[in-house]
Protein backbone atom coordinates (compact mmCIF):
# COMPACT_ATOMS: atom_id res chain seq x y z
CA UNK A 1 0.00 0.00 0.00
CA UNK A 2 1.35 3.39 -1.01
CA UNK A 3 1.44 6.31 1.41
CA UNK A 4 0.98 9.42 -0.70
CA UNK A 5 2.50 12.57 0.73
CA UNK A 6 -0.05 15.39 0.43
CA UNK A 7 0.49 18.61 -1.48
CA UNK A 8 1.15 20.34 1.82
CA UNK A 9 4.26 18.18 2.24
CA UNK A 10 5.97 20.15 -0.52
CA UNK A 11 4.15 23.41 0.19
CA UNK A 12 2.32 23.44 -3.13
CA UNK A 13 0.53 26.51 -4.43
CA UNK A 14 -3.21 26.19 -5.01
CA UNK A 15 -3.97 25.24 -8.61
CA UNK A 16 -5.76 27.50 -11.06
CA UNK A 17 -8.82 26.32 -12.96
CA UNK A 18 -7.73 23.11 -14.61
CA UNK A 19 -8.57 20.68 -17.39
CA UNK A 20 -10.96 18.56 -15.31
CA UNK A 21 -10.84 14.88 -14.44
CA UNK A 22 -9.86 11.83 -16.47
CA UNK A 23 -12.67 9.70 -17.89
CA UNK A 24 -12.09 6.02 -17.09
CA UNK A 25 -13.34 4.81 -20.47
CA UNK A 26 -10.82 7.04 -22.27
CA UNK A 27 -7.70 6.04 -20.32
CA UNK A 28 -5.18 3.75 -22.04
CA UNK A 29 -2.50 3.76 -19.39
CA UNK A 30 0.22 5.72 -17.58
CA UNK A 31 3.16 7.64 -19.03
CA UNK A 32 6.53 7.81 -17.25
CA UNK A 33 8.33 11.19 -17.12
CA UNK A 34 11.47 12.71 -15.66
CA UNK A 35 12.27 16.38 -14.98
CA UNK A 36 14.99 16.54 -17.67
CA UNK A 37 16.95 19.23 -15.83
CA UNK A 38 20.23 18.40 -17.56
CA UNK A 39 21.93 18.32 -14.15
CA UNK A 40 23.69 15.38 -12.54
CA UNK A 41 23.17 16.69 -9.00
CA UNK A 42 20.97 14.11 -7.32
CA UNK A 43 17.65 15.01 -5.65
CA UNK A 44 17.25 12.42 -2.90
CA UNK A 45 16.40 14.01 0.44
CA UNK A 46 12.84 14.91 1.34
CA UNK A 47 13.78 18.60 1.56
CA UNK A 48 15.50 18.55 -1.84
CA UNK A 49 12.55 16.81 -3.52
CA UNK A 50 10.02 19.22 -2.00
CA UNK A 51 12.08 22.21 -3.13
CA UNK A 52 12.41 20.78 -6.67
CA UNK A 53 8.65 20.18 -6.90
CA UNK A 54 7.93 23.79 -5.91
CA UNK A 55 10.39 25.02 -8.53
CA UNK A 56 8.80 22.89 -11.26
CA UNK A 57 5.34 24.06 -10.23
CA UNK A 58 6.44 27.70 -10.44
CA UNK A 59 7.90 27.11 -13.90
CA UNK A 60 4.79 25.33 -15.17
CA UNK A 61 2.36 27.90 -13.79
CA UNK A 62 4.30 31.15 -14.23
CA UNK A 63 6.28 30.46 -17.41
CA UNK A 64 4.14 27.88 -19.21
CA UNK A 65 0.85 29.31 -18.03
CA UNK A 66 -0.50 25.93 -16.98
CA UNK A 67 -3.02 25.43 -14.19
CA UNK A 68 -0.62 23.50 -11.91
CA UNK A 69 2.50 21.36 -11.92
CA UNK A 70 1.97 19.14 -14.95
CA UNK A 71 2.19 15.66 -13.44
CA UNK A 72 -0.23 13.65 -11.31
CA UNK A 73 2.16 11.78 -8.97
CA UNK A 74 5.92 11.99 -8.34
CA UNK A 75 8.12 9.14 -7.06
CA UNK A 76 11.62 9.82 -5.72
CA UNK A 77 14.68 7.60 -5.29
CA UNK A 78 13.87 6.91 -1.64
CA UNK A 79 10.52 5.42 -2.69
CA UNK A 80 8.35 8.31 -1.51
CA UNK A 81 5.18 9.04 -3.49
CA UNK A 82 4.14 12.69 -3.74
CA UNK A 83 0.68 13.94 -4.63
CA UNK A 84 0.92 16.54 -7.42
CA UNK A 85 -2.31 17.03 -9.38
CA UNK A 86 -3.60 13.71 -8.10
CA UNK A 87 -4.62 10.69 -10.17
CA UNK A 88 -8.10 11.90 -11.03
CA UNK A 89 -7.07 15.22 -12.59
CA UNK A 90 -5.84 15.26 -16.19
CA UNK A 91 -2.16 15.96 -16.55
CA UNK A 92 -0.63 18.69 -18.64
CA UNK A 93 2.60 16.82 -19.30
CA UNK A 94 2.00 14.32 -22.10
CA UNK A 95 1.99 16.63 -25.13
CA UNK A 96 -1.49 17.63 -26.21
CA UNK A 97 -5.13 17.38 -25.16
CA UNK A 98 -5.56 13.95 -26.75
CA UNK A 99 -2.70 12.16 -24.97
CA UNK A 100 -3.48 13.99 -21.72
CA UNK A 101 -7.00 12.61 -21.99
CA UNK A 102 -5.74 9.04 -22.63
CA UNK A 103 -2.81 8.79 -20.22
CA UNK A 104 -1.88 9.61 -16.68
CA UNK A 105 1.53 11.13 -15.91
CA UNK A 106 3.98 9.82 -13.29
CA UNK A 107 7.14 11.82 -12.63
CA UNK A 108 10.33 9.97 -11.63
CA UNK A 109 12.64 12.34 -9.75
CA UNK A 110 15.78 11.40 -11.67
CA UNK A 111 18.73 13.40 -12.96
CA UNK A 112 20.79 12.83 -16.09
CA UNK A 113 22.24 9.29 -16.27
CA UNK A 114 20.73 8.22 -12.92
CA UNK A 115 19.35 4.68 -12.65
CA UNK A 116 15.97 4.21 -10.94
CA UNK A 117 16.54 2.68 -7.50
CA UNK A 118 14.84 -0.50 -6.30
CA UNK A 119 12.75 1.66 -3.92
CA UNK A 120 11.66 3.96 -6.75
CA UNK A 121 10.67 1.02 -8.94
CA UNK A 122 8.77 -0.73 -6.15
CA UNK A 123 6.77 2.40 -5.31
CA UNK A 124 6.10 3.13 -8.98
CA UNK A 125 4.72 -0.38 -9.41
CA UNK A 126 2.40 0.21 -6.46
CA UNK A 127 1.32 3.61 -7.82
CA UNK A 128 0.51 2.06 -11.20
CA UNK A 129 -1.46 -0.69 -9.45
CA UNK A 130 -3.52 2.03 -7.73
CA UNK A 131 -3.90 3.85 -11.05
CA UNK A 132 -5.33 0.70 -12.63
CA UNK A 133 -7.89 0.37 -9.85
CA UNK A 134 -9.27 3.75 -10.92
CA UNK A 135 -8.84 3.06 -14.66
CA UNK A 136 -9.11 -0.72 -15.24
CA UNK A 137 -8.58 -0.52 -19.00
CA UNK A 138 -5.54 1.76 -18.62
CA UNK A 139 -2.91 -0.99 -18.47
CA UNK A 140 -0.25 0.47 -20.79
CA UNK A 141 3.00 1.78 -19.32
CA UNK A 142 4.86 3.97 -21.78
CA UNK A 143 7.79 6.38 -21.82
CA UNK A 144 6.90 9.97 -22.62
CA UNK A 145 8.97 9.70 -25.80
CA UNK A 146 6.50 7.07 -27.11
CA UNK A 147 3.37 9.25 -26.88
CA UNK A 148 4.42 12.88 -27.28
CA UNK A 149 3.70 14.25 -30.77
CA UNK A 150 7.06 16.12 -30.86
CA UNK A 151 10.39 14.34 -30.23
CA UNK A 152 11.65 14.14 -26.64
CA UNK A 153 14.26 12.16 -24.73
CA UNK A 154 11.98 11.99 -21.66
CA UNK A 155 12.20 10.00 -19.37
CA UNK A 156 15.88 9.33 -20.14
CA UNK A 157 17.64 6.14 -21.24
CA UNK A 158 17.79 4.42 -17.80
CA UNK A 159 14.05 4.84 -17.19
CA UNK A 160 13.22 3.81 -20.78
CA UNK A 161 15.28 0.63 -20.33
CA UNK A 162 13.48 -0.08 -17.05
CA UNK A 163 10.11 0.28 -18.78
CA UNK A 164 11.23 -2.08 -21.55
CA UNK A 165 12.31 -4.67 -18.95
CA UNK A 166 8.95 -4.44 -17.22
CA UNK A 167 10.45 -3.05 -14.00
CA UNK A 168 7.39 -0.85 -13.39
CA UNK A 169 4.79 -3.55 -14.05
CA UNK A 170 2.77 -4.46 -10.94
CA UNK A 171 3.78 -7.96 -9.87
CA UNK A 172 7.27 -7.63 -11.32
CA UNK A 173 9.81 -9.73 -9.39
CA UNK A 174 12.11 -7.89 -7.02
CA UNK A 175 14.87 -10.34 -8.02
CA UNK A 176 15.48 -8.20 -11.07
CA UNK A 177 16.21 -5.18 -8.87
CA UNK A 178 19.41 -6.47 -7.29
CA UNK A 179 22.33 -4.12 -6.89
CA UNK A 180 25.64 -4.98 -8.61
CA UNK A 181 27.03 -6.04 -5.21
CA UNK A 182 24.07 -8.36 -4.62
CA UNK A 183 24.46 -9.84 -8.10
CA UNK A 184 28.18 -10.51 -7.45
CA UNK A 185 27.34 -12.13 -4.12
CA UNK A 186 24.81 -14.39 -5.83
CA UNK A 187 27.34 -15.26 -8.53
CA UNK A 188 29.95 -16.19 -5.90
CA UNK A 189 27.41 -18.34 -4.06
CA UNK A 190 26.42 -20.20 -7.25
CA UNK A 191 30.08 -20.85 -8.13
CA UNK A 192 30.81 -22.15 -4.62
CA UNK A 193 27.80 -24.48 -4.68
CA UNK A 194 28.76 -25.72 -8.14
CA UNK A 195 32.27 -26.58 -6.94
CA UNK A 196 30.88 -28.30 -3.85
CA UNK A 197 28.49 -30.36 -5.96
CA UNK A 198 31.24 -31.36 -8.41
CA UNK A 199 33.42 -32.53 -5.51
CA UNK A 200 30.54 -34.50 -3.99
CA UNK A 201 29.77 -36.22 -7.30
CA UNK A 202 33.45 -37.08 -7.77
CA UNK A 203 33.63 -38.66 -4.33
CA UNK A 204 30.49 -40.73 -4.91
CA UNK A 205 31.63 -41.96 -8.31
CA UNK A 206 35.10 -42.78 -7.06
CA UNK A 207 33.72 -44.77 -4.15
CA UNK A 208 31.13 -46.63 -6.24
CA UNK A 209 33.63 -47.46 -8.96
CA UNK A 210 36.02 -48.80 -6.34
CA UNK A 211 33.26 -51.03 -4.98
CA UNK A 212 32.44 -52.32 -8.46
CA UNK A 213 36.12 -53.03 -9.18
CA UNK A 214 36.51 -54.94 -5.91
CA UNK A 215 33.38 -57.01 -6.56
CA UNK A 216 34.55 -57.77 -10.09
CA UNK A 217 38.01 -58.86 -8.90
CA UNK A 218 36.47 -61.09 -6.22
CA UNK A 219 34.11 -62.62 -8.78
CA UNK A 220 37.03 -63.36 -11.12
CA UNK A 221 38.92 -65.07 -8.30
CA UNK A 222 35.88 -67.15 -7.41
CA UNK A 223 35.41 -68.13 -11.02
CA UNK A 224 39.04 -69.16 -11.35
CA UNK A 225 38.89 -71.07 -8.09
CA UNK A 226 35.67 -72.81 -9.08
CA UNK A 227 37.04 -73.59 -12.54
CA UNK A 228 40.16 -75.17 -11.00
CA UNK A 229 37.92 -77.17 -8.66
CA UNK A 230 35.87 -78.37 -11.61
CA UNK A 231 38.99 -79.50 -13.45
CA UNK A 232 40.20 -81.29 -10.31
CA UNK A 233 36.82 -82.97 -9.89
CA UNK A 234 36.81 -84.17 -13.47
CA UNK A 235 40.35 -85.56 -13.08
CA UNK A 236 39.37 -87.32 -9.87
CA UNK A 237 36.30 -88.79 -11.60
CA UNK A 238 38.50 -90.16 -14.37
CA UNK A 239 40.82 -91.76 -11.79
CA UNK A 240 37.93 -93.36 -9.92
CA UNK A 241 36.47 -94.63 -13.18
CA UNK A 242 39.59 -96.77 -13.71
CA UNK A 243 39.78 -97.91 -10.09
CA UNK A 244 38.41 -101.28 -8.90
CA UNK A 245 34.65 -101.19 -8.50
CA UNK A 246 34.73 -101.80 -4.77
CA UNK A 247 37.09 -98.80 -4.35
CA UNK A 248 34.96 -96.62 -6.54
CA UNK A 249 31.90 -97.54 -4.55
CA UNK A 250 33.57 -96.31 -1.37
CA UNK A 251 34.51 -92.98 -2.94
CA UNK A 252 32.65 -89.90 -1.79
CA UNK A 253 30.05 -88.45 -4.17
CA UNK A 254 31.48 -85.73 -6.40
CA UNK A 255 29.57 -82.45 -6.64
CA UNK A 256 29.44 -80.37 -9.80
CA UNK A 257 31.12 -77.05 -9.10
CA UNK A 258 28.98 -73.91 -9.26
CA UNK A 259 30.08 -71.75 -12.18
CA UNK A 260 28.95 -68.08 -12.08
CA UNK A 261 26.42 -66.99 -14.68
CA UNK A 262 28.22 -64.55 -17.00
CA UNK A 263 24.89 -62.84 -17.81
CA UNK A 264 24.20 -61.94 -14.18
CA UNK A 265 25.85 -58.96 -12.48
CA UNK A 266 27.55 -59.74 -9.20
CA UNK A 267 25.58 -58.66 -6.14
CA UNK A 268 27.06 -55.51 -4.63
CA UNK A 269 26.56 -54.16 -1.17
CA UNK A 270 24.38 -51.09 -0.93
CA UNK A 271 26.35 -47.91 -0.42
CA UNK A 272 24.39 -45.02 1.10
CA UNK A 273 25.33 -41.67 -0.44
CA UNK A 274 26.95 -39.08 1.75
CA UNK A 275 24.82 -35.99 2.44
CA UNK A 276 25.51 -33.02 0.17
CA UNK A 277 28.26 -31.02 1.90
CA UNK A 278 27.99 -27.31 2.78
CA UNK A 279 30.20 -24.89 0.87
CA UNK A 280 32.69 -24.48 3.71
CA UNK A 281 33.20 -28.26 4.03
CA UNK A 282 33.65 -28.63 0.29
CA UNK A 283 36.26 -25.87 0.21
CA UNK A 284 38.18 -27.53 3.06
CA UNK A 285 38.11 -30.88 1.26
CA UNK A 286 39.25 -29.29 -1.97
CA UNK A 287 42.19 -27.61 -0.18
CA UNK A 288 43.56 -30.96 1.07
Amino acid sequence: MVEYLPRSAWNARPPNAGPGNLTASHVDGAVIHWPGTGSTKVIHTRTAVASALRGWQDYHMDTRGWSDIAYQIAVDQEGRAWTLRGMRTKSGANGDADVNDRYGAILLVLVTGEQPSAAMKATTRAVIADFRKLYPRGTAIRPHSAVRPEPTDCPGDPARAAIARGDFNPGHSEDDDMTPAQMQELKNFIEARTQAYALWVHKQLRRDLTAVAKAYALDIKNYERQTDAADAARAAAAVWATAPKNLAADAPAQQEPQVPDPNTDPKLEDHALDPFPPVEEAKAEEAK
Side-chain angles (χ1 to χ4, degrees):
M1 181 177 178
V2 183
E3 179 183 352
Y4 295 91
L5 294 172
R7 288 172 62 91
S8 60
W10 54 282
N11 198 24
R13 293 161 55 180
N16 296 326
N21 291 341
L22 287 171
T23 302
S25 61
H26 296 176
V27 176
D28 293 330
V31 168
I32 304 297
H33 295 257
W34 73 330
T37 63
S39 171
T40 57
K41 184 179 180 181
V42 298
I43 308 169
H44 289 180
T45 67
R46 179 169 174 150
T47 300
V49 175
S51 176
L53 292 176
R54 287 194 301 274
W56 297 327
Q57 184 189 42
D58 289 344
Y59 173 73
H60 289 174
M61 295 181 72
D62 299 339
T63 302
R64 292 286 192 175
W66 297 340
S67 62
D68 197 356
I69 189 171
Y71 317 99
Q72 294 174 311
I73 300 293
V75 180
D76 65 28
Q77 286 283 53
E78 298 300 318
R80 290 177 289 252
W82 302 75
T83 302
L84 305 184
R85 290 193 178 192
M87 287 191 193
R88 296 186 183 276
T89 304
K90 290 181 184 179
S91 84
N94 290 329
D96 61 21
D98 175 58
V99 287
N100 287 334
D101 186 51
R102 293 190 293 117
Y103 292 98
I106 299 173
L107 174 69
L108 305 183
V109 184
L110 295 170
V111 298
T112 301
E114 188 175 19
Q115 294 287 339
S117 68
M120 172 179 278
K121 289 187 282 188
T123 297
T124 303
R125 287 194 292 270
V127 168
I128 290 175
D130 287 347
F131 184 85
R132 290 177 178 177
K133 291 176 184 177
L134 292 174
Y135 311 104
R137 65 181 298 274
T139 57
I141 303 172
R142 296 187 177 178
H144 186 203
S145 56
V147 302
R148 183 179 176 181
E150 296 83 22
T152 178
D153 65 348
C154 180
D157 291 338
R160 249 192 309 275
I163 295 169
R165 289 193 303 267
D167 290 358
F168 300 125
N169 294 343
H172 175 79
S173 173
E174 290 290 341
D175 292 341
D176 296 334
D177 297 335
M178 289 190 295
T179 65
Q182 290 171 325
M183 292 180 68
Q184 184 61 46
E185 183 179 355
L186 178 60
K187 179 181 177 182
N188 294 341
F189 175 78
I190 292 173
E191 289 178 351
R193 295 307 286 168
T194 301
Q195 292 175 2
Y197 179 71
L199 179 62
W200 177 77
V201 169
H202 176 72
K203 288 176 64 178
Q204 301 307 318
L205 289 177
R206 183 173 60 188
R207 188 182 67 177
D208 291 348
L209 287 175
T210 300
V212 171
K214 286 181 179 179
Y216 179 74
L218 178 62
D219 191 62
I220 289 295
K221 288 182 180 179
N222 289 336
Y223 181 80
E224 291 174 349
R225 185 166 55 247
Q226 291 166 355
T227 302
D228 292 342
D231 290 341
R234 282 192 290 271
V239 171
W240 285 110
T242 60
K245 292 188 179 297
N246 60 342
L247 183 61
D250 296 334
Q254 300 296 321
Q255 294 183 352
E256 189 69 21
Q258 296 295 318
V259 179
D261 183 355
N263 296 318
T264 304
D265 292 334
K267 184 178 181 181
L268 301 179
E269 295 181 2
D270 292 334
H271 293 276
L273 295 179
D274 293 337
F276 190 79
V279 173
E280 295 75 12
E281 207 175 285
K283 287 182 178 178
E285 182 70 21
E286 189 177 11
K288 290 181 181 179

